[in-house]
Amino acid sequence: MWEVVVWMVGVMCCLLCRQVAGVVTQPFDVIKTHHQMTVGELEEAGAEKFPSMLSTSRKIWQHYGWTGLCAGMTARIVKVATACAIMISTYEFFKSYFRRQNVSV
């Protein structure tokens, strides 16, 4: 019983922390991705001067607003939640397994 409670607390804490981190960093990832796409297109066109990250973020804000900076947030949170649950479950399982193995030796 106690192991189930510890496992659930671990999963919930991991989920909360990962989701907060995902929400905070998502706008920066969107800006980075748009910037990389813009630079790649300009490199192919033979340009020598590239826009700054600040100008890329302004462009996203002007064209799409807040929703543009948060594009893909739902998919990211679902992916993070799934990965987090698998990671913590695996860790807690093997931690209890090896603890039982050490006690029996």
Side-chain angles (χ1 to χ4, degrees), residues 6 12 17 22 24 33-34 39-40 43-44 48 54 61-62 65-66 69 81 85 88 90 93 99 101:
V6 169
M12 290 301 174
C17 291
V24 170
T33 303
H34 276 267
V39 168
E43 279 181 346
E44 286 180 3
E48 295 182 15
L54 185 59
W61 182 262
Q62 289 170 352
W66 183 249
L69 290 173
I88 291 296
T90 305
F93 171 79
R99 183 177 289 144
Q101 292 297 322

Side-chain angles (χ1 to χ4, degrees), residues 2 9 12 25-26 30 34 40 49 56 63 66 68 81 92 97:
W2 179 249
V9 168
M12 290 301 174
T25 60
Q26 180 68 18
V30 169
H34 276 267
K49 189 172 181 180
T56 303
H63 285 101
W66 183 249
E92 290 295 335
Y97 172 78

Side-chain angles (χ1 to χ4, degrees), residues 8-68:
M8 287 299 294
V9 168
V11 168
M12 290 301 174
C13 289
C14 184
L15 284 173
L16 179 64
C17 291
R18 291 278 182 112
Q19 288 178 352
V20 168
V23 167
V24 170
T25 60
Q26 180 68 18
F28 297 107
D29 284 340
V30 169
I31 294 168
K32 176 194 64 133
T33 303
H34 276 267
H35 184 71
Q36 289 173 338
M37 290 173 24
T38 304
V39 168
E41 290 170 358
L42 290 174
E43 279 181 346
E44 286 180 3
E48 295 182 15
K49 189 172 181 180
F50 305 109
S52 67
M53 293 290 279
L54 185 59
S55 66
T56 303
S57 61
R58 283 187 188 135
K59 180 181 171 187
I60 295 170
W61 182 262
Q62 289 170 352
H63 285 101
Y64 306 107
W66 183 249
T67 57

